[in-house]
Amino acid sequence: GKRKDLFIMTLPVTIFTWIMAVLPILVLLVLMVKLQMGAVKAAPIGLCVSAVSALIVYKASIPHVFMEMLKGVWSALPILIVVWTAILLYEVVNEAKAFQVFRKSMGKVTQNELLQIMLLAWVFTSFLQGITGFGVPVAVGAPLLIGIGMRPFWAVIIPLLAHTWGNTYGTLGAAWDSLAIQANMVDNVAMLNATSLWATAFIWIWNFTSGMMLCWFYGKGKALKKGFPAVLVISTIHGGGQMLVSQFNATLACFVPTVVAIGAIVVLGRTPWYKDPWRVEESPVMDRSAGSAEEEDAPEEMSVLQAFLPYIVLTILTLVILLVKPIKEFLGQVKLGFAFPGMVTGYGYEDPAADPFSPLAIFTHAGMFLLVSAIFGFFYFKSKGWLHEDSGAMIGRRTVKKTIPSSISVICFIAMSKVMGGTGQTTVMAQGIAGVMGEAYVALSPIVGLLGSFMTSSNMASNILFGSFQLATANFLGLNPAPVLGAQTAGGAIGAAICPGNIVLGCTTAGIMGQEGKVLQKVLPITLAAAAIVGVIMYVTCILL
């Protein structure tokens, strides 16, 4: 950390350099939120703005900017592999008409439509976040919700908000581990546990809020009243369970509560309050007209277990490979990565050499589990006669058509974040905020985490980007670093709902590409408000008390 701090000192933090650092993000927000531009058009513009700023204001050379862009392309690959394979898996299941079977079977769990939505949009997506992450919950959740009659726009927004609480300890603790490394907490158990308590407390508040919002969107006050007992039970399991388990095992802190919550919602569906048919007829999020014809189309002899088999394979594969240490270590040996030279700007800000840079562990990556599950599903459904001769070609065509636009936007978003990070723009942005705010900065610490997620499309990358900065700022201001770091990753989790990568993924599988700006416009105020509430709690507990 020391060497980088020396270089930070040489960066001029002025009003002008700060505005130029913030400009790429402002441009993106204006294009996507205000002008409703799709991600595929807005992302390249944001990238160009960051590159021009790097060259002219931040004194980076053309080779330096080019190298950062190449790093962006490489860093986008792990996300893109998930995009491609998640959509492939969805297309296989969809072609076999398994979603219709799944939809029909929902009535066996509960006749209560609100509880069905909770099961899919909140409980199941959180379970997927616990094991895979990388946008898979939104990519898989959106089509499932459309399958039970939800409008595509809402089928993206609701799981986007509902799954993100699992973003710090999900993917078997990936984002949390990156924060622990960045903030030098790995061997400091007391600080690790204290930070964990703060983080999980903030995340619990967000989890409860997103559960209540799901009810509100579905049917305002009527649905809030009906859904409140279920939200209370599930949020206690999710939030409280994560808080408890994180003190012993960060790897399973999200996964274990999400498994318990699946059992809990099945039990809730049998209780007198939820077992009878119930729905809000005029719900703005539902369009039930599309459903009935499709249901008749469902293969008669396919059971719900068979319909869901590819996702069961996905779960088992992920758990076995990632939790059985010898298997994980053996498969994790195969890594692909390239060496990148160190680069220094005219101001002496260094982006150190990396050999290899961000290596990709091919066989332990979520994309591999999705690919195997898709291939398994294809041959299984074909052997049962649920896929015909030209099904393979149709699945392939639809997958390619859906993934090309999203691939362009994800590459540009991440290349932009690399250019900003590698040329000192991100550092100036954060330093400027801390310098102006002083102690009151603690109120902004979750917003910084949220901003990191928005910029990089990942809570893990946000923790890597800002973890050491948040620690340094807390120390510089003489504050307890545990709540500041907890707020960083909680803000990053909330910010996962506005990750361009997640929004693009959801819009792609829901079939509403080009509406990313509309989705962002809806979720942005909610996430900012949630991060601001965490900030207020931070300010009261850290400064006033």
Side-chain angles (χ1 to χ4, degrees), residues 183-490:
N184 305 320
M185 294 191 288
V186 178
D187 300 318
N188 187 343
V189 178
M191 184 167 158
L192 200 66
N193 287 347
T195 305
S196 182
L197 278 175
W198 281 98
T200 51
F202 293 139
I203 290 167
W204 192 351
I205 295 168
W206 171 240
N207 176 272
F208 179 76
T209 308
S210 57
M212 294 302 280
M213 275 189 307
L214 184 156
C215 299
W216 176 257
F217 288 145
Y218 172 71
K220 304 278 190 298
K222 204 189 288 183
L224 278 177
K225 187 181 166 196
K226 190 72 179 174
F228 182 73
V231 172
L232 204 59
V233 170
I234 292 160
S235 185
T236 303
I237 293 167
H238 277 168
Q242 179 167 266
M243 184 182 263
L244 195 67
V245 181
S246 70
Q247 294 295 303
F248 310 103
N249 186 327
T251 309
L252 297 175
C254 174
F255 176 72
V256 170
T258 61
V259 174
V260 176
I262 289 176
I265 202 158
V266 172
V267 172
L268 280 166
R270 306 252 158 90
T271 60
W273 187 248
Y274 290 115
K275 73 172 193 288
D276 298 324
W278 186 90
R279 70 187 197 183
V280 175
E281 288 301 334
E282 66 286 3
S283 169
V285 307
M286 302 303 285
D287 174 19
R288 303 182 185 96
S289 58
S292 48
E294 277 191 3
E295 268 187 35
E296 287 156 24
D297 222 10
E300 279 300 312
E301 63 284 13
M302 191 191 289
S303 71
V304 70
L305 195 68
Q306 288 171 312
F308 225 57
L309 205 54
Y311 292 106
I312 295 168
V313 170
L314 172 67
T315 306
I316 293 167
L317 258 182
T318 310
L319 288 179
V320 169
I321 291 171
L322 295 186
L323 289 182
V324 181
K325 224 173 173 182
I327 297 178
K328 186 183 176 183
E329 282 171 3
F330 175 70
L331 291 174
Q333 291 175 84
V334 183
K335 284 193 172 121
L336 192 60
F338 302 98
F340 279 88
M343 289 286 189
V344 184
T345 67
Y347 285 119
Y349 184 85
E350 185 193 24
D351 194 23
D355 183 20
F357 168 76
S358 192
L360 175 65
I362 302 163
F363 296 115
T364 58
H365 184 266
M368 180 57 76
F369 312 146
L370 283 159
L371 178 65
V372 172
S373 309
I375 293 168
F376 168 84
F378 179 80
F379 286 109
Y380 177 75
F381 290 143
K382 194 154 188 173
S383 73
K384 294 285 183 184
W386 295 322
L387 292 177
H388 39 84
E389 278 314 302
D390 54 352
S391 286
M394 285 164 74
I395 289 164
R397 272 200 301 276
R398 285 201 301 264
T399 304
V400 171
K401 191 180 167 193
K402 282 183 177 179
T403 52
I404 288 171
S406 53
S407 300
I408 295 165
S409 42
V410 168
I411 287 169
C412 291
F413 281 129
I414 293 175
M416 179 183 117
S417 85
K418 287 289 170 216
V419 170
M420 290 180 69
T423 60
Q425 296 177 57
T426 304
T427 306
V428 166
M429 188 166 59
Q431 290 287 112
I433 293 168
V436 171
M437 299 284 293
E439 276 194 337
Y441 168 78
V442 294
L444 271 190
S445 52
I447 305 275
V448 171
L450 176 132
L451 183 69
S453 273
F454 173 71
M455 284 167 58
T456 62
S457 269
S458 148
N459 184 13
M460 181 172 83
S462 175
N463 286 341
I464 292 167
L465 196 60
F466 289 131
S468 51
F469 162 76
Q470 296 261 28
L471 177 66
T473 309
N475 291 336
F476 172 71
L477 297 170
L479 300 165
N480 175 5
V484 176
L485 291 166
Q488 153 65 33
T489 193

